[in-house]
Amino acid sequence: KNQVEQSPQSLIILEGKNCTLQCNYTVSPFSNLRWYKQDTGRGPVSLTIMTFSENTKSNGRYTATLDADTKQSSLHITASQLSDSASYICVVSAPTGNQFYFGTGTSLTVIP
Amino acid sequence: DAEITQSPRHKITETGRQVTLACHQTWNHNNMFWYRQDLGHGLRLIHYSYGVHDTNKGEVSDGYSVSRSNTEDLPLTLESAASSQTSVYFCASSENTLANNEQFFGPGTRLTVL
């Protein structure tokens, strides 16, 4: 069964600290993996996209990694800011049409 | 700037009522999607459309319907609202059927069925 699992479910960190969010998936075949950020009361917004041939991709203080062999991805946030408080959702897509598989998200809270 | 909007943002209705949630995008995207988001389940696909007059069922389509009469709009109708349909609903659009295309999400509609 195609699944996407994220950990931890929630995380609280101090402002300025780094953190890493995990995403494990069983989707096969695999086309790409996206990380979305969802602020409270808003729709998700794409942070990064990675295809199976990419290992690392950065977007400012956000760095995503992908190991297609072990079907694992991580999102590393450097020097966290209060505005990083949000839910982070991992989405894996298959190569055909509308096959998007969503994780349940990690809720990140950054405290001063 | 192009955008995707949803209305209403909040809706309270009673069991058995018909409810329609609007979704409008100005990206001129062919693909449009409806999801519901509940605690512990993440985003689940209700219906999707690849173009005008095309509609398809997602994994949780029972009790919902959509119609696509133009490129910009994909209204979601709850035929007879049930308390189990209390949720936050998100509409999304994307450019074409390629799996690596980004989905752009609307701000969501919070629906409460009493």
Side-chain angles (χ1 to χ4, degrees):
Chain A
K1 182 180 180 182
N2 291 318
Q3 289 184 315
V4 178
E5 295 183 351
Q6 293 186 240
S7 62
Q9 193 171 27
S10 61
L11 183 62
I12 300 174
I13 62 173
L14 290 173
E15 186 179 12
K17 297 296 186 182
N18 304 335
C19 68
T20 300
L21 314 180
Q22 299 290 342
C23 174
N24 296 337
Y25 62 93
T26 60
V27 178
S28 183
F30 160 79
S31 176
N32 62 68
L33 183 148
R34 282 188 188 271
W35 284 93
Y36 282 84
K37 179 186 179 188
Q38 184 176 19
D39 292 316
T40 300
R42 308 286 293 273
V45 176
S46 179
L47 288 173
T48 64
I49 177 174
M50 302 182 72
T51 64
F52 68 90
S53 61
E54 297 176 296
N55 299 121
T56 304
K57 183 167 284 188
S58 293
N59 178 2
R61 296 179 295 102
Y62 301 101
T63 299
T65 65
L66 175 65
D67 186 334
D69 292 331
T70 62
K71 293 185 170 56
Q72 296 179 325
S73 176
S74 65
L75 181 68
H76 185 76
I77 304 175
T78 303
S80 61
Q81 300 177 358
L82 299 179
S83 59
D84 293 330
S85 294
S87 180
Y88 292 84
I89 302 170
C90 175
V91 183
V92 180
S93 56
T96 56
N98 181 46
Q99 298 295 313
F100 296 96
Y101 300 91
F102 289 79
T104 56
T106 292
S107 176
L108 174 66
T109 303
V110 180
I111 58 176
Chain B
D1 287 343
E3 61 177 356
I4 180 166
T5 58
Q6 295 182 234
S7 62
R9 293 295 313 278
H10 301 272
K11 175 76 176 178
I12 299 174
T13 191
E14 295 177 339
T15 301
R17 299 261 188 173
Q18 184 181 77
V19 177
T20 296
L21 309 183
C23 175
H24 179 81
Q25 53 99 1
T26 58
W27 296 95
N28 201 34
H29 285 164
N30 287 325
N31 298 348
M32 296 185 74
F33 309 83
W34 273 105
Y35 296 91
R36 60 178 290 174
Q37 187 175 40
D38 306 284
L39 282 175
H41 286 281
L43 285 153
R44 291 183 291 175
L45 183 64
I46 305 172
H47 281 285
Y48 59 100
S49 168
Y50 287 153
V52 177
H53 302 309
D54 175 73
T55 61
N56 305 279
K57 294 181 178 181
E59 65 174 301
V60 291
S61 61
D62 287 348
Y64 304 94
S65 64
V66 294
S67 61
R68 187 90 179 270
S69 59
N70 58 53
T71 300
E72 296 79 18
D73 300 288
L74 186 70
L76 177 71
T77 297
L78 286 68
E79 306 294 345
S80 177
S83 58
S84 60
Q85 294 177 308
T86 292
S87 185
V88 181
Y89 291 85
F90 287 97
C91 179
S93 71
S94 67
E95 187 171 329
N96 59 43
T97 58
L98 294 176
N100 62 352
N101 263 340
E102 178 180 354
Q103 290 183 306
F104 294 85
F105 287 85
T109 293
R110 182 174 294 277
L111 176 67
T112 302
V113 183
L114 301 176

